[in-house]
Amino acid sequence: MRGTMQGWLLAAVPALVMLAGCSGPESVKAARANVDAFHRQFNAGEYAAIWDAAGSEIQKTVGREEFAKGLGGVHTFWGDALATSQMSWSYKDNSGGSYSSVVMKTDFKNGRGYEQFAFRNIGEKQVLAQYNITKEPPPSDGASGSPSASATP
């Protein structure tokens, strides 16, 4: 369940946080709140419910059972999420839609992981469009607050 499983795993959470405006810092603040909602569902083992609320980026990539099994494996490996802090963020707006992403340093029961979340902004709500977890922090591209990994699926 290491490496490749964690590298490909995409997850979604019923992240329907109201946004003051679907741009930049406000949507990134909402994405940060959605990380906490994701961790609550992750810790509770609600993997299928996470998939059910996923955006099309996720549901077209992996089936419900496979997703639940994969996320369950991640949970078995890492354990419950205990504490998390934001390392960086980015916001992208292009013809494919707008995405807010955050990179988190998360302490789990079984060690520290680095999570990358990308949320698609849809009107006044967000859905998680991409999730990745690694043991090593992602490289920074040097831009203020911006991770080098693309938030666009």
Side-chain angles (χ1 to χ4, degrees):
M1 292 289 164
R2 296 170 239 225
T4 58
M5 172 66 78
Q6 294 163 358
W8 70 263
L9 184 64
L10 301 176
V13 67
L16 305 178
V17 173
M18 299 302 287
L19 303 175
C22 273
S23 64
E26 288 302 315
S27 68
V28 171
K29 282 174 64 176
R32 175 60 186 92
N34 287 327
V35 168
D36 292 334
F38 174 91
H39 284 149
R40 282 190 298 273
Q41 286 195 296
F42 177 83
N43 288 351
E46 298 174 353
Y47 318 126
I50 292 171
W51 187 91
D52 290 341
S56 60
E57 298 90 344
I58 293 175
Q59 291 186 353
K60 290 180 180 178
T61 303
V62 62
R64 188 176 195 256
E65 284 184 35
E66 182 182 0
F67 176 85
K69 183 178 178 182
L71 195 55
V74 170
H75 194 187
T76 297
F77 180 82
W78 289 98
D80 283 354
L82 304 175
T84 191
S85 61
Q86 184 175 314
M87 294 179 59
S88 62
W89 63 273
S90 69
Y91 174 82
K92 295 184 184 209
D93 193 2
N94 57 43
S95 61
S98 69
Y99 292 83
S100 303
S101 67
V102 291
V103 176
M104 308 301 295
K105 177 172 60 176
T106 303
D107 291 325
F108 293 89
K109 182 179 178 184
N110 300 328
R112 177 169 286 164
Y114 297 87
E115 298 175 294
Q116 297 171 312
F117 294 85
F119 294 90
R120 182 167 36 102
N121 302 309
I122 307 169
E124 294 187 356
K125 66 180 182 177
Q126 290 182 328
V127 294
L128 186 66
Q130 188 173 17
Y131 173 75
N132 185 41
I133 183 169
T134 61
K135 286 185 173 186
E136 300 297 323
S140 174
D141 65 5
S144 175
S146 179
S148 61
S150 172
T152 307

